């Protein structure tokens, strides 16, 4: 949210407003049909949440990989893709449809090369290959994230029960909620590491959303936080998925 707001308050406000509009228009079959046309869906979507998830993925991952040069870590994107998304939104005339604005901006993420004739909104393959990360987040890396009212995304809490049911539905496993903090500490990580750790560098770029869970201050003379104000998410080209880079960034 901060990445988008820093580029354009109007851009932030449009994204913040689109979720309720999607839910309202997608509350009946005729609305879903019209939204499917707007989103150039390959098939008529069955749930408005499918469209919300499509937008959510585009905005969150673009913020994560907001690199100063063209890159294809997640998808083919131009340099400074958050800035480019906000330029798209801000170029619309006053009074233009908020859904059209959000869709066109998100299309930069999915179709920067311009070769996609339609978009798979439901039941398609995961273009990012994150199934391994989903498994890890349901076993060892359970992270109780919440969304505040200040976010450009809909506010939400965290329920261990819902997380458990979701993991069981996807992988037939129950998450070990306390494994990682039991194994590594974390509730008072500065005190734990100062007593037991050494020779650790925590590297975080403040334009990377994952930095909010990172160590941003030095803990001791040999446990150092390297923080770059405009740094982005680390690219680990030889690693599968985001598991390695997110761990090293946190």
């Amino acid at each position: 949210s901060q990445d988008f707001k820093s580029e354009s308050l109007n851009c932030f406000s449009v994204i913040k407003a689109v979720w309720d509009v999607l839910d309202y228009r997608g509350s009946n079959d005729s609305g879903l049909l019209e939204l499917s046309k707007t989103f150039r869906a390959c098939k008529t979507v069955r749930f408005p949440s499918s469209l919300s998830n499509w937008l959510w993925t585009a905005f969150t991952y673009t913020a994560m990989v907001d690199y100063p040069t063209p890159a294809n870590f997640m998808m083919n994107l131009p340099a400074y893709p958050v800035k480019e998304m906000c330029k798209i939104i801000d170029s619309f005339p006053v009074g233009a449809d908020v859904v059209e604005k959000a869709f066109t901006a998100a299309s930069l993420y999915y179709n920067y090369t311009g070769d996609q004739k339609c978009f798979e909104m439901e039941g398609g393959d995961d273009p990012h290959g994150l199934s391994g990360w989903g498994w890890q987040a349901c076993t060892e890396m359970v992270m109780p994230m919440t969304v505040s009212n200040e976010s450009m995304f809909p506010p939400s809490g965290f329920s261990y029960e819902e997380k458990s049911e979701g993991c069981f539905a996807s992988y037939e496993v129950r998450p070990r909620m306390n494994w990682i903090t039991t194994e590594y500490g974390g509730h008072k990580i500065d005190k734990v590491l100062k007593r037991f750790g050494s020779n650790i560098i925590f590297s975080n770029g403040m334009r990377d959303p994952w930095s909010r869970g990172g160590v941003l201050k030095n803990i001791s003379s040999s446990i150092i936080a390297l923080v770059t104000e405009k740094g982005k998410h680390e690219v680990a080209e030889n690693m599968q998925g985001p598991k390695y880079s997110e761990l090293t960034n946190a």
Side-chain angles (χ1 to χ4, degrees), residues 17-18 25 29 46 78 83 101 105 122 129 157 166 168 186 200 213 221 223 233 239 242:
V18 75
R25 294 186 188 174
D29 290 342
R46 297 174 296 166
K83 183 187 294 290
K101 293 178 184 179
E122 295 171 333
F168 191 80
I200 302 172
S221 60
I223 303 178
H233 196 74
M239 297 293 176

Coordinates of all heavy atoms in Angstrom, one line a residue, residues 17-18 25 29 46 78 83 101 105 122 129 157 166 168 186 200 213 221 223 233 239 242:
A17 N -10.8 1.5 -3.5 CA -12.2 1.6 -3.7 C -12.8 0.4 -4.6 O -14.0 0.1 -4.5 CB -12.6 2.9 -4.5
V18 N -11.9 -0.3 -5.3 CA -12.4 -1.3 -6.3 C -13.0 -2.5 -5.7 O -13.9 -3.1 -6.2 CB -11.3 -1.7 -7.3 CG1 -10.3 -2.6 -6.6 CG2 -11.8 -2.3 -8.5
R25 N -21.1 -5.5 -7.8 CA -21.5 -5.9 -9.2 C -21.5 -7.4 -9.4 O -22.2 -7.9 -10.3 CB -20.5 -5.2 -10.2 CG -20.6 -3.7 -10.2 CD -19.7 -3.1 -11.3 NE -19.7 -1.7 -11.2 CZ -18.9 -0.9 -12.0 NH1 -18.1 -1.5 -12.9 NH2 -18.9 0.4 -11.8
D29 N -25.7 -13.0 -11.5 CA -25.2 -13.6 -12.7 C -24.9 -12.6 -13.8 O -23.9 -12.6 -14.5 CB -26.1 -14.7 -13.2 CG -26.1 -15.9 -12.3 OD1 -25.2 -16.1 -11.5 OD2 -27.1 -16.7 -12.4
R46 N -17.4 -17.5 -11.9 CA -18.5 -17.9 -11.1 C -18.5 -17.1 -9.8 O -19.6 -17.0 -9.1 CB -18.3 -19.4 -10.8 CG -18.5 -20.3 -12.0 CD -18.2 -21.7 -11.6 NE -16.8 -21.9 -11.1 CZ -16.3 -23.0 -10.5 NH1 -17.2 -23.9 -10.1 NH2 -15.1 -23.0 -10.1
P78 N 8.1 -3.9 -16.9 CA 9.0 -2.8 -17.2 C 9.7 -2.4 -15.9 O 9.4 -2.8 -14.8 CB 8.1 -1.7 -17.7 CG 6.8 -2.0 -16.9 CD 6.7 -3.5 -16.8
K83 N 5.1 2.4 -10.5 CA 5.0 3.8 -11.1 C 4.2 3.7 -12.4 O 3.3 4.5 -12.7 CB 6.3 4.4 -11.4 CG 6.3 5.8 -11.9 CD 7.7 6.3 -12.3 CE 8.6 6.5 -11.1 NZ 8.1 7.6 -10.3
K101 N -10.3 1.0 -14.5 CA -9.0 1.5 -14.1 C -8.1 0.4 -13.5 O -7.0 0.2 -13.8 CB -9.1 2.7 -13.1 CG -9.8 3.9 -13.6 CD -9.9 5.0 -12.5 CE -10.6 6.2 -13.0 NZ -10.7 7.2 -11.8
A105 N -4.7 -1.4 -15.1 CA -3.4 -1.3 -14.4 C -2.9 -2.7 -14.1 O -1.7 -3.0 -14.3 CB -3.6 -0.6 -13.1
E122 N -10.2 -18.6 -13.2 CA -10.5 -19.7 -12.3 C -10.0 -21.0 -12.9 O -10.2 -21.2 -14.1 CB -12.0 -19.7 -12.1 CG -12.6 -18.5 -11.4 CD -14.1 -18.5 -11.4 OE1 -14.8 -19.1 -12.3 OE2 -14.7 -17.9 -10.5
G129 N 4.4 -20.9 -10.0 CA 5.0 -22.1 -9.4 C 5.1 -22.0 -7.9 O 6.2 -22.4 -7.4
G157 N -8.7 -10.0 9.4 CA -8.0 -10.5 10.5 C -7.3 -11.8 10.2 O -7.2 -12.2 9.0
G166 N -8.1 -24.3 5.8 CA -7.6 -24.0 4.4 C -6.4 -24.9 4.0 O -6.4 -25.4 2.9
F168 N -5.8 -27.9 5.3 CA -6.2 -29.2 5.2 C -6.9 -29.5 3.8 O -6.8 -30.5 3.2 CB -7.2 -29.6 6.3 CG -7.5 -31.1 6.4 CD1 -6.5 -31.9 7.0 CD2 -8.6 -31.6 5.9 CE1 -6.8 -33.3 7.0 CE2 -8.9 -32.9 6.0 CZ -8.0 -33.8 6.5
G186 N 11.5 -15.8 18.1 CA 10.8 -14.8 17.2 C 9.9 -13.8 17.9 O 9.8 -12.7 17.5
I200 N 25.4 -12.5 11.5 CA 24.2 -12.6 10.7 C 23.9 -11.2 10.0 O 24.1 -10.2 10.7 CB 22.9 -13.0 11.5 CG1 23.1 -14.3 12.2 CG2 21.7 -13.0 10.6 CD1 22.0 -14.7 13.1
G213 N 8.2 -7.4 7.9 CA 8.5 -8.5 8.9 C 10.0 -8.7 9.1 O 10.4 -9.7 9.7
S221 N 27.0 -6.2 17.6 CA 28.1 -5.8 16.7 C 28.3 -6.7 15.5 O 28.9 -6.4 14.5 CB 29.4 -5.7 17.5 OG 29.7 -6.9 18.1
I223 N 25.5 -8.8 14.4 CA 24.2 -9.1 13.8 C 23.7 -7.8 13.3 O 23.2 -6.9 14.0 CB 23.2 -9.7 14.8 CG1 23.8 -11.0 15.5 CG2 21.9 -10.0 14.2 CD1 22.9 -11.6 16.5
H233 N 12.6 -6.4 -3.5 CA 12.7 -7.7 -3.1 C 14.0 -8.4 -3.8 O 14.2 -8.1 -4.9 CB 11.5 -8.5 -3.6 CG 11.3 -9.8 -2.9 ND1 10.9 -9.9 -1.6 CD2 11.4 -11.1 -3.4 CE1 10.7 -11.2 -1.3 NE2 11.1 -11.9 -2.3
M239 N 17.2 -20.3 -7.1 CA 16.3 -20.9 -6.1 C 14.9 -21.1 -6.7 O 14.5 -20.3 -7.6 CB 16.2 -20.1 -4.8 CG 17.6 -19.9 -4.1 SD 18.2 -21.5 -3.5 CE 19.8 -20.9 -2.9
P242 N 9.8 -18.2 -4.3 CA 10.2 -17.1 -3.4 C 10.7 -17.5 -2.0 O 11.1 -16.7 -1.2 CB 8.9 -16.2 -3.3 CG 7.9 -17.3 -3.3 CD 8.3 -18.4 -4.2

